[in-house]
Amino acid sequence: MSGRIPREFIDELLVRVDIVDLIDSHVPLKKTGNNFVARCPFHAEKTPSFSVNQKKQFFYCFGCGASGNAISFLMDFSHLDFVEAVEDLAGFAGVEVPRESIEYQPGQKKEDLNSLYLLMEQVANFYAEQLRISDEGKKAVEYLKNRGVSGDCAGDFMLGYAPDEWNALASRFDPKLLLDAGLLVSKEDGHTYDRFRGRIMFPIRDKRARIIGFGGRVLDDSLPKYLNSPETSLFHKGKEVYGLYELLEKNAKPQRILIVEGYMDVIALAQFDIRYAVAVLGTAASQAHLDLLFRFSSELVFCFDGDKAGREAAWRAMDAAFSSLKDGRQIRIMLLPQNYDPDLLIREQGVDGFVGRVQGAETLSEYFFGHFSNELNLSEMEGRAQLVSKAKPYLEKLPESVFKEMMFARLKELSGWDRLDILENAATLALKSPSKIGGKRPQDNGRLSSARVAVALLVQNPRLAELLDQREIDWSGLEFSGAPLFKNILNMIAGKHPANAAVLMECYRDAAEEKSIKALAFLDLQISDDKVDVVFCDAVNRLLIQAREAGLARLLDKDKTKGLDAQEKELLRKMLTGK
């Protein structure tokens, strides 16, 4: 039975598994001081910069910035999604993954999904057979030959042909399963017919080689030229790409992945041994698409036709691109010459010429600001104002990083607006700490704000929240730098009771605060274990004093200028009397 994995199980699993044992089974670790080190498995390096902290149960690479807990490691190392990583971690621990029965849906039984996967395999084999032996299939073979597709390439991609019949599948396979798989269409009168008819068929496989859907292309110019499987329990076009399985079969860790517009583009490039191309499935590239591809390569290159539609498609990709650009990731934009597709271009310019274009594709920053420079007159104040208005919303989608700061700096340079600043949040503050993360050099805790010390210690030692519970502090009226994040963490700890920093970090996976939590978790405060409670309480005390003084000053100032309402007067009285 499928369903959501209980949060309690994930938390217990992170406590049960020692991250040192897990990572050591994939990458041999060496004990150095309080940590374990190795050469990073996520980027090439000669000296070890990959560190695993056993006490906090997370890893960090000083070279490429890769970081996280045991689940994050499996996702990055083995290219797994979240559920697959939890399943692998459970297997490592020797326990079964439970599922919450409340998520149960009759159509989602594991045995039913297995039946659908088996059906899809059988249908793909049927289509492949029709391509080889049927009279109609010969026309499809001729079309593929004219497009330069060899028999070997057709076999690699399991190409087939759907007979031009209304009931070719229903007469051979279970109609109910065919409906569930999206291969039959049901009419209002209850009758059904084959969704794909008279088309070359492109099986869509997930990274586990399972067929999850199909794409079909007509042999002439009739419309629709391409037809895809609908959304089913197996197929979600907003999360899958065509050609990924075939790509990974040839190279599990490609230097880059080229995102093209169609099935035939992927196959045409494969004919020339360019095996790192994939295509989105009849929709714009989404953040889910990009996050999936970034698990296998740190560089993605968008390839679009050079016509108006291609340029518009390239710009539509900006939303997903900016939201996906975490540290260590790069996106480039490659616009083809007018009236060219990848197949025609590679035949005219050769493999070397095409690869040269891929390698020389514009960086995202070049393309982004170049787009506005071409669209707006930046010699005029009005044009520069429009630049800020149009560009800033995109830049704000970037995760906190040096790249984000540099993009804002470039916007400031082009616009000439001196007041354009990035609003610092807790993550930025943590990243700008004068210390180096991981204890590369001793730190002076006096140079860190009380708020940063208190929040970092709370993230690294969730048990410290108990010390605050005993004091029954009213946080609602206290204002200080980082207060929203501090209160958010306290609420999370109260609701989840995380056993350690790794479990707390997991609570924030994909949340807006995730970057902040990670930055604070890796902040090495150089405090011995026996001093943590004392330093934390001292930081909180100083924080409370600062917050009360700031609040008192604000109320007194307002009392002099505008006057206070009844609630503010009562708050001021409490502050002055201490009651």
Side-chain angles (χ1 to χ4, degrees):
M1 180 175 66
S2 65
R4 191 175 64 181
I5 302 173
R7 167 58 62 183
E8 294 78 9
F9 173 78
I10 296 172
D11 294 348
E12 291 173 4
L13 189 60
L14 287 169
V15 174
R16 179 190 290 259
V17 175
D18 187 336
I19 193 172
V20 171
D21 294 338
L22 173 72
I23 295 180
D24 190 53
S25 68
H26 294 84
V27 181
L29 297 173
K30 181 181 179 182
K31 186 77 161 63
T32 302
N34 293 326
N35 295 328
F36 293 79
V37 300
R39 282 187 293 199
C40 181
F42 305 120
H43 80 286
E45 62 177 9
K46 295 181 179 179
T47 57
S49 62
F50 182 81
S51 178
V52 184
N53 187 300
Q54 192 167 38
K55 178 189 173 187
K56 298 173 184 176
Q57 287 293 299
F58 53 65
F59 69 90
Y60 182 80
C61 176
F62 296 99
C64 68
S67 61
N69 57 19
I71 296 174
S72 304
F73 176 81
L74 287 175
M75 290 176 70
D76 293 343
F77 186 84
S78 301
H79 306 306
L80 305 176
D81 62 29
F82 177 77
V83 173
E84 292 167 345
V86 172
E87 290 173 343
D88 269 27
L89 191 60
F92 181 80
V95 297
E96 291 291 327
V97 178
R99 304 283 178 164
E100 290 182 345
S101 58
I102 193 171
E103 295 294 325
Y104 167 71
Q105 296 291 337
Q108 293 181 332
K109 286 184 179 180
K110 187 173 182 179
E111 54 266 29
D112 287 351
L113 291 178
N114 288 338
S115 297
L116 286 178
Y117 285 126
L118 177 60
L119 171 73
M120 299 294 269
E121 188 76 24
Q122 292 171 336
V123 170
N125 289 333
F126 168 71
Y127 287 150
E129 182 182 47
Q130 293 300 303
L131 182 67
R132 293 194 305 271
I133 67 173
S134 71
D135 290 337
E136 289 182 67
K138 291 178 182 177
K139 297 179 182 178
V141 170
E142 192 63 29
Y143 171 87
L144 291 171
K145 285 183 177 178
N146 289 337
R147 293 293 301 266
V149 180
S150 68
D152 287 342
C153 194
D156 287 345
F157 287 89
M158 290 187 70
L159 301 188
Y161 179 76
D164 195 8
E165 303 172 18
W166 293 96
N167 293 293
L169 296 183
S171 61
R172 293 173 171 83
F173 304 102
D174 182 344
K176 181 182 183 306
L177 286 176
L178 290 170
L179 279 168
D180 291 343
L183 294 170
L184 288 188
V185 177
S186 179
K187 297 191 294 185
E188 290 183 3
D189 61 6
H191 289 82
T192 60
Y193 59 91
D194 288 5
R195 181 178 300 274
F196 299 102
R197 304 178 308 281
R199 293 174 180 268
I200 294 174
M201 298 303 293
F202 303 84
I204 302 164
R205 291 185 275 194
D206 66 14
K207 60 183 181 296
R208 294 185 176 185
R210 300 174 302 194
I211 297 172
I212 55 177
F214 289 93
R217 191 199 192 285
V218 296
L219 300 179
D220 52 26
D221 294 326
S222 60
L223 299 174
K225 183 185 294 186
Y226 283 98
L227 185 64
N228 293 318
S229 287
E231 295 284 311
T232 69
S233 56
L234 300 184
F235 180 60
H236 307 284
K237 66 180 181 181
K239 297 180 180 179
E240 303 289 347
V241 296
Y242 178 72
L244 180 60
Y245 166 75
E246 291 79 6
L247 182 159
L248 297 176
E249 277 289 282
K250 300 297 181 181
N251 185 358
K253 293 185 178 181
Q255 181 179 354
R256 64 179 59 87
I257 294 178
L258 182 67
I259 304 172
V260 294
E261 295 191 63
Y263 303 102
M264 286 305 300
D265 293 330
V266 174
I267 293 172
L269 293 174
Q271 283 290 140
F272 289 89
D273 206 32
I274 294 180
R275 300 279 185 164
Y276 50 86
V278 299
V280 294
L281 302 165
T283 183
S286 67
Q287 184 176 347
H289 286 134
L290 302 190
D291 286 342
L292 170 66
L293 296 175
F294 271 128
R295 282 157 51 188
F296 306 100
S297 178
S298 61
E299 180 182 335
L300 305 183
V301 181
F302 281 103
C303 178
F304 293 102
D305 293 346
D307 57 13
K308 181 181 178 182
R311 293 193 300 273
E312 290 175 351
W315 190 251
R316 285 197 302 272
M318 291 301 100
D319 270 338
F322 275 80
S323 300
S324 301
L325 271 181
K326 299 177 182 177
D327 284 333
R329 294 178 174 184
Q330 183 177 23
I331 289 177
R332 292 179 179 271
I333 308 295
M334 173 182 171
L335 290 178
L336 301 177
Q338 192 83 16
N339 300 321
Y340 277 80
D341 61 17
D343 186 18
L344 180 58
L345 187 64
I346 198 170
R347 291 181 187 279
E348 282 199 7
Q349 298 192 356
V351 173
D352 290 343
F354 186 87
V355 171
R357 281 181 172 269
V358 174
Q359 294 174 344
E362 277 190 297
T363 63
L364 180 69
S365 57
E366 291 171 337
Y367 173 80
F368 181 75
F369 287 116
H371 169 85
F372 289 120
S373 296
N374 293 331
E375 183 184 75
L376 304 172
N377 184 355
L378 300 185
S379 65
E380 298 177 348
M381 182 185 300
E382 289 80 0
R384 295 194 297 274
Q386 287 183 37
L387 171 65
V388 173
S389 176
K390 292 185 176 184
K392 194 167 179 281
Y394 286 95
L395 302 191
E396 287 172 342
K397 294 177 183 179
L398 287 168
E400 297 301 330
S401 60
V402 173
F403 179 69
K404 179 175 183 176
E405 294 188 22
M406 293 179 72
M407 289 290 280
F408 266 99
R410 178 59 175 157
L411 177 57
K412 184 175 180 179
E413 177 186 342
L414 289 173
S415 66
W417 191 30
D418 290 336
R419 294 182 61 189
L420 183 63
D421 294 308
I422 305 172
L423 294 176
E424 290 189 328
N425 61 18
T428 308
L429 289 171
L431 290 170
K432 287 183 175 179
S433 164
S435 65
K436 281 191 177 181
I437 297 172
K440 289 280 183 168
R441 60 178 170 82
Q443 293 192 135
D444 176 8
N445 289 331
R447 293 162 61 188
L448 301 180
S449 71
S450 299
R452 193 176 303 154
V453 171
V455 179
L457 285 174
L458 185 62
V459 169
Q460 297 172 19
N461 307 272
R463 63 171 182 78
L464 292 173
E466 297 175 3
L467 301 178
L468 300 181
D469 291 341
Q470 297 168 9
R471 298 173 60 175
E472 299 182 351
I473 300 169
D474 180 10
W475 297 98
S476 58
L478 298 178
E479 300 175 8
F480 53 88
S481 175
L485 181 62
F486 190 67
K487 296 172 186 177
N488 183 286
I489 294 169
L490 284 176
N491 290 333
M492 182 67 76
I493 293 173
K496 303 290 186 180
H497 304 291
N500 56 35
V503 177
L504 178 62
M505 193 183 301
E506 189 58 43
C507 295
Y508 283 97
R509 182 178 296 278
D510 296 327
E513 301 86 359
E514 181 181 19
K515 187 79 173 181
S516 307
I517 299 300
K518 279 191 173 184
L520 293 164
F522 299 127
L523 195 61
D524 187 0
L525 300 172
Q526 295 288 304
I527 301 170
S528 61
D529 291 346
D530 61 334
K531 300 292 186 183
V532 167
D533 290 27
V534 174
V535 173
F536 177 71
C537 289
D538 180 61
V540 170
N541 288 338
R542 285 187 278 115
L543 190 62
L544 293 175
I545 292 171
Q546 293 168 9
R548 289 194 178 101
E549 289 177 347
L552 182 60
R554 180 180 61 80
L555 289 172
L556 290 173
D557 182 62
K558 185 177 180 182
D559 189 31
K560 292 178 181 178
T561 55
K562 299 179 181 179
L564 303 177
D565 59 29
Q567 185 178 2
E568 290 171 327
K569 287 180 179 178
E570 177 60 18
L571 180 58
L572 178 59
R573 185 192 67 79
K574 288 182 178 181
M575 286 186 171
L576 291 173
T577 62
K579 298 180 181 180

